[in-house]
Amino acid sequence: ESERSQRARVRHSAKMESRRRFEQQQAERMSRKILRLSASTERWILIAHVVNIAAIFITPIIVINSVTPPPAPMGCIVITMYVVIVNFKLISYACVNRWERTGSAIGARRRIISLVQYPSNVYFSDFVYFIAAPTLSYQLEFPRNESVRKGFLLRRIVEFLICLGISLILLEQYMSPLVAHAIPIMESGNIWLFVERVL
């Protein structure tokens, strides 16, 4: 029985080693192909990234300003914040993959530390995971726990709700009356009285 399970383990490890070697060969072939990109191709890739990021950043602003009647300010703020976060993530993703593709000093330092090599990280599933992950800094691999720590997660949710409640209390207690008193003065055009009210 134990001899049989040992043989099965050896077969499984040999199969896994063969698969790992095959994936490594595929990755090396892909990396050689990618590293053959000329400087002009790199330039076009950079231009495409800049155009993509600019379009993603400008589109919501144009839509928000062209909608009649204007959307709720809080919704506009949330959308703009989300767009800024996505842009930061895209810039990080593009920079790290460029460093890896061109073999720069930063990319070389990362390759020593990382178990994942460059071409094997360029998958749609990796990109979606990075967009959903709560970080702005792209890594070839992210450290993960084997299970979700429910107590830790619950504590963070409670902290978030408490901070949100305190923010709403401060907004209603101090900012709303100030703005309500300042609007009629602002509409009257007396700038000095407005500054006095706001201060």
Side-chain angles (χ1 to χ4, degrees):
E1 184 74 30
S2 65
E3 199 174 305
R4 182 190 242 173
S5 63
Q6 189 176 8
R7 266 191 255 134
R9 261 190 258 126
V10 168
R11 261 184 274 141
H12 178 69
S13 64
K15 192 185 291 184
M16 292 304 288
E17 180 64 27
S18 166
R19 183 177 176 191
R20 189 189 61 74
R21 247 185 272 124
F22 175 74
E23 287 175 354
Q24 189 175 7
Q25 288 170 350
Q26 292 292 95
E28 286 172 7
R29 262 189 234 121
M30 183 92 156
S31 66
R32 272 189 241 115
K33 213 181 278 186
I34 289 171
L35 289 175
R36 278 189 235 128
L37 292 173
S38 66
S40 64
T41 308
E42 273 301 320
R43 203 169 303 123
W44 283 109
I45 290 172
L46 178 65
I47 290 170
H49 280 306
V50 169
V51 168
N52 182 31
I53 289 169
I56 289 173
F57 192 67
I58 292 170
T59 302
I61 295 171
I62 292 171
V63 169
I64 287 169
N65 288 323
S66 65
V67 172
T68 310
M74 196 62 193
C76 295
I77 290 170
V78 168
I79 289 171
T80 306
M81 283 174 42
Y82 178 74
V83 166
V84 168
I85 290 169
V86 168
N87 274 321
F88 283 155
K89 286 182 175 241
L90 288 175
I91 290 167
S92 175
Y93 187 81
C95 286
V96 170
N97 281 321
R98 182 172 185 270
W99 294 333
E100 293 294 328
R101 185 172 55 249
T102 58
S104 70
I106 297 169
R109 206 172 327 128
R110 286 173 172 274
R111 268 191 296 280
I112 293 168
I113 298 168
S114 178
L115 298 174
V116 177
Q117 297 300 315
Y118 165 64
S120 62
N121 72 317
V122 187
Y123 290 109
F124 185 70
S125 60
D126 292 328
F127 179 73
V128 169
Y129 178 77
F130 170 60
I131 292 295
T135 181
L136 296 177
S137 175
Y138 179 70
Q139 302 291 323
L140 294 181
E141 60 183 341
F142 294 97
R144 295 184 65 174
N145 292 337
E146 292 191 17
S147 64
V148 176
R149 297 181 297 172
K150 293 181 178 118
F152 177 80
L153 183 63
L154 184 64
R155 194 174 322 123
R156 296 290 93 80
I157 290 171
V158 168
E159 288 171 356
F160 170 74
L161 293 175
I162 289 171
C163 287
L164 184 65
I166 290 171
S167 300
L168 289 174
I169 289 169
L170 291 174
L171 177 76
E172 288 298 321
Q173 186 71 28
Y174 296 107
M175 289 181 65
S176 293
L178 182 69
V179 171
H181 292 303
I183 287 177
I185 296 167
M186 189 172 65
E187 288 173 350
S188 70
N190 189 346
I191 190 74
W192 297 112
L193 191 57
F194 174 72
V195 170
E196 178 190 341
R197 286 287 179 161
V198 170
L199 293 177

